[in-house]
Amino acid sequence: MAAMFSQNPLMNGPNYSFNQAPTTASGNKQHGFYPYTDNGGSTLAISGNDFTIIAGDTRSTSGYNINTRYAPKVFKIGGTTDSQDDATLVLSVVGFAADGHALKERLDAIVKMYRYQHGKPMSVKACAQRLSTILYGKRFFPYYVTAILGGLDEDGKGAVYSYDPVGSYEREQCRAAGAAASLIMPFLDNQVNFKNQYMPGIGEGHALAEREKIPLPRNEVEDLVKDAFDSAVERHIEVGDGLLMMIITKDGIEEIFKPLKKD
Amino acid sequence: MNHLPQAWGRPRDDVYGAYDASYLQSNGPNQHTQSPIVTGTSVVALKFKDGVVIAADNLASYGSLARFTDVKRLRTFADTSVVGFGGDVSDMQYLDRLLNSLDTEEAYSTSGHTLNAKNLHTYLAKVFYKRRSDFNPLWNQVLVAGLDGEGKPFLASADLLGTTFSSPSLATGFGANLAQPLLRKVAPDEEAASKLSQEQALEAVKESMKVLFYRDARSLDKYSIAVVTKDGIDLKEDEKLEKQSWAFADQIRGYGTQVN
C-alpha cells in the first residue's frame, strides 16, 4: 500500500477517491451468522408397477433437542383445493426445514399456476424438470435440502425423481435421503433391486444366475418401508417418533401414519 | 509536504502503518446483526383443553449482566394472540413495531380483524426467513400462542433462520433443555393436551419457570404469564415465583470430606 499516496497519478490513478484508501489494516470482515442448520430426519421413496410410495419420519431436531415429534416432510403438490386431496404429485424434503418449506411452497405455487395456465395437471416429468431449475436458480445460495419427487408417469407406472441440493436429478427405482440414507439405501439395493442375490443352486463364479428383477407388489413395499425406518430409528438418533407414508395410485393419494420409537 | 488532500491531517503511513479506512467505504459488505447484544432468555408455552398458556421472565441480559429487570417479553396481538420473544431485545422491539403497523393495516379492512394466531405465525415466519435469506437476521426465537382458523388451540415456533414447528408444548433457548421435558410429561401428545384443564396447564408452566430460575444463570424470578382462550387474553406482567425450595442448602458442606 505504499503506492496508496504515491505522487504519481499514472501509477494508480488520480488518488482523490476514498475508494482507494487502504483496506489491508482492517483485515477480512467475517460474518458470524450462518444461515443454515440441520433438522435431521430421513425420507424414502420406492416406485412400483402402478404406484409410488414416498415416506418420511416426522421428527424435527436441532442438535440433541427434539423440536417436535410431528413435522411432516412429505407433501402433496399442486392440488386445486386447500386440503390438496386431488393432487397427483408428492414432494419430500429433508435437511434444513426452513428451506424445505420454502421450496415446497414455491413448487406448489408453480404447479398450481401450470394447471391454471394450461388447463391440465402437470406431469411428473415436467414437474421434475421444473424442480431442478428451481433448485439451480439458487445455485450460489442453495436450498439445503435433498428432495424426492414422486408420482405416476404417462404410462401409469410409478415414478421417483431424486435431487441434490443444487438441482442434479435422475429418475430412479428407489431412493433414501436424509440423516439415515446411508443406513437405508444398501438395504433397498438388496431388497428392491435384488442386488447380490442369485438363484439358489444354479452354479458358481460366472455361472451364477442373478435373481430375476420383478417389481414388488404394494403390500410388500409398504412392509419394506416400515422395516427400513424401524431399523433406521434403532441406529440413528435423529430419526424416530412417527412415519408418514403417501401412496400415489391412479385413484389418488393415500396417507398412512404409523408410530415409531420416540427415544 | 504531501499535496494529496486525503492524506492531510492523518497519521503518517510510514510511521503508524496504513490507516484503517474500511468504515469509510460504501462498496464493502454491509454490517448486519452478527450476534445478539441485549437478550431475553427462555419462553415456555403449553396447550390445554381450550387455549394456551405462555410465559417468559422479565429480564433482558447484557451478556452475563442482568441489565434490565422490567422488560415485558410477551406481546398481545389483536386480543386473539400472544407472541413470546426470546433472543435479541432490539430485534424484539423492531418486531413489536412491525406488528403494530400490521395491526393498524388490518384495522382498515372492512371486516375488522381477520388474523388469527396461525396467520400471525405464518407472517412472522416469512419475515424471519426473508431476513435470514438477506443475511440480515432478526436474532430471535418466538412462540406464537392463540387459536387457529377452526378455533382450536394453536402454538408454534419461528426462529432467526425461518425454521418453524408446532407441538403441544414448546420452549425456546434454555427452556428447550429444561422446561420441555417437564411439559412433555404433562402433555406427551396432542390428545393429552386436549384433556388438560387450564389449572393443570398453568401449574405446569409455573413449575417450569421455577426450574428455569433455579438452573438458568440468565433468568429472573419476576415473569409474565398469559392465558389465551376464545374469551380473550388474560395477561399478567408482574408475577413472582412462589414456593422456592432452598432449605436443604444449609445441610450441604464442603465438596467431599468436610464434616462441618
Side-chain angles (χ1 to χ4, degrees), chain A residues 31-230:
Chain A
H31 283 271
F33 173 66
Y34 189 67
Y36 294 114
T37 190
D38 183 4
N39 297 103
S42 223
T43 57
L44 164 56
I46 300 174
S47 61
N49 233 343
D50 55 353
F51 67 92
T52 296
I53 291 189
I54 300 200
D57 70 327
T58 61
R59 177 179 287 181
S60 160
T61 64
S62 58
Y64 289 117
N65 285 325
I66 294 174
N67 290 331
T68 174
R69 298 192 191 280
Y70 188 75
K73 297 186 218 336
V74 196
F75 308 101
K76 295 175 185 174
I77 294 291
T80 55
T81 60
D82 188 41
S83 61
Q84 299 265 44
D85 44 19
D86 57 345
T88 57
L89 301 170
V90 172
L91 174 74
S92 76
V93 279
V94 64
F96 173 35
D99 272 351
H101 185 75
L103 179 65
K104 167 229 144 188
E105 299 266 284
R106 257 239 265 179
L107 186 71
D108 187 48
I110 285 166
V111 177
K112 280 181 161 77
M113 284 307 289
Y114 180 100
R115 193 197 287 264
Y116 173 65
Q117 284 166 342
H118 296 85
K120 62 177 184 190
M122 204 172 191
S123 68
V124 240
K125 198 178 172 183
C127 186
Q129 175 62 259
R130 188 67 183 87
L131 179 53
S132 173
T133 61
I134 294 170
L135 288 163
Y136 197 81
K138 274 172 72 67
R139 172 64 180 79
F140 297 107
F141 185 21
Y143 288 114
Y144 236 66
V145 290
T146 319
I148 304 175
L149 184 74
L152 299 177
D153 66 12
E154 290 90 337
D155 307 324
K157 288 194 188 331
V160 163
Y161 290 86
S162 70
Y163 296 77
D164 82 346
V166 288
S168 250
Y169 78 112
E170 65 175 332
R171 185 170 170 180
E172 288 180 301
Q173 194 63 235
C174 62
R175 171 58 66 182
S182 59
L183 280 63
I184 298 175
M185 204 60 219
F187 170 73
L188 297 181
D189 287 341
N190 186 246
Q191 291 296 309
V192 178
N193 294 322
F194 303 137
K195 295 273 173 66
N196 294 308
Q197 291 199 48
Y198 300 94
M199 301 304 283
I202 287 287
E204 285 172 3
H206 295 295
L208 279 173
E210 283 184 14
R211 181 174 164 188
E212 193 193 350
K213 299 208 183 339
I214 33 164
L216 296 167
R218 186 181 143 175
N219 60 329
E220 276 182 40
V221 174
E222 274 181 52
D223 289 344
L224 224 49
V225 170
K226 183 66 171 36
D227 288 348
F229 273 94
D230 277 335

Side-chain angles (χ1 to χ4, degrees), chain A residues 15 30 32 35 66 68 99, chain B residues 6 19 34 129 132 166 177 184:
Chain A
N15 277 316
Q30 272 224 317
I66 294 174
T68 174
D99 272 351
Chain B
Q6 76 268 34
Y19 179 70
Q34 315 254 325
Y129 187 70
R132 87 98 219 187
S166 178
N177 302 301
R184 278 189 187 143

